[in-house]
Amino acid sequence: MTPPFRAAKSPARQLLLTAAGVLLLLAALDVVVLHKLSDPPTTNDDGTVTSKGQTERRTDLVWGTLFTVVGGALVVVGAGGMVTARSVIELNDDAVRLRVAGPMSYLDVPWTEIVSIRSGRDFGDDGRIPTPVLLIEVEDRTNYPDGLWGAVWRGNILQVDTDGWDTTVEDVVIRSELMLEHFEEGDEE
């Protein structure tokens, strides 16, 4: 029996998401209430908000609401990712489990169906910055769903985006190949 392996999203990325969310929440607070860095609505000499100031206030509320919603979402996603630390890939004796069937759902690819596992680079639409990808070739892809999260099918090859994992794609490939060899040796016995 081979010890199972798992990899999760990078904690540094989750921390950066959370920090960006907190900054957006602070910006929303400043734009709507504090006005330390942002300008307050225009007032006349007696301190009454002018019609221009009322327009500025409405604009500030729109921006504040947008910053609050986006910042709150980033904090929830980032902090939630750090707290739960759910794996994005698991290698066990039976299959490769990938969290690509949905935000909380796994896709199991049994070792019996895997032809090869390797790493690659996806140059995306602009072709400038390559993204590391895990390539899993299966015998027959018709058994698997379309519309995956962070993964696409290219023929019988599942291409999984590994950017942001806490383990390099090369390390995952080496471990996968060892487990695939171990599985194939078990079949021969």
Side-chain angles (χ1 to χ4, degrees):
M1 182 168 147
T2 308
F5 169 79
R6 67 186 296 271
K9 289 282 187 183
S10 168
R13 278 228 174 157
Q14 302 298 323
L15 183 62
L16 287 174
L17 278 176
T18 305
V22 168
L23 286 175
L24 282 173
L25 290 173
L26 291 174
L29 185 64
D30 182 65
V31 166
V32 175
V33 179
L34 299 177
H35 302 294
K36 297 290 183 190
L37 299 174
S38 63
D39 293 329
T42 305
T43 57
N44 56 20
D45 293 337
D46 65 355
T48 307
V49 177
T50 64
S51 62
K52 180 181 177 187
Q54 290 174 349
T55 303
E56 292 169 346
R57 180 75 180 141
R58 284 190 295 271
T59 304
D60 288 348
L61 287 173
V62 169
W63 281 110
T65 302
L66 179 66
F67 287 174
T68 300
V69 169
V70 173
L74 287 175
V75 167
V76 167
V77 169
M82 284 189 294
V83 170
T84 60
R86 291 180 54 102
S87 61
V88 289
I89 185 170
E90 297 174 1
L91 307 175
N92 58 41
D93 286 334
D94 302 321
V96 175
R97 297 189 76 215
L98 297 159
R99 192 171 50 144
V100 296
M104 300 297 194
S105 302
Y106 288 89
L107 172 71
D108 288 351
V109 182
W111 293 113
T112 55
E113 304 235 347
I114 296 175
V115 175
S116 69
I117 297 179
R118 59 189 187 279
S119 65
R121 298 280 181 244
D122 180 24
F123 287 90
D125 296 332
D126 61 3
R128 292 185 185 169
I129 300 173
T131 302
V133 292
L134 177 66
L135 303 168
I136 301 175
E137 185 177 359
V138 297
E139 291 177 9
D140 182 17
R141 97 144 216 68
T142 58
N143 299 329
Y144 301 100
D146 290 324
L148 301 173
W149 289 53
V152 294
W153 285 103
R154 308 241 188 257
N156 282 345
I157 298 176
L158 179 62
Q159 178 179 311
V160 183
D161 181 3
T162 63
D163 193 31
W165 288 9
D166 64 358
T167 305
T168 65
V169 67
E170 290 79 13
D171 189 34
V172 172
V173 168
I174 290 169
R175 291 172 185 269
S176 299
E177 288 175 341
L178 290 172
M179 293 190 82
L180 186 58
E181 286 176 16
H182 180 266
F183 177 80
E184 289 170 350
E185 287 172 4
D187 279 352
E188 292 172 3
E189 293 175 359

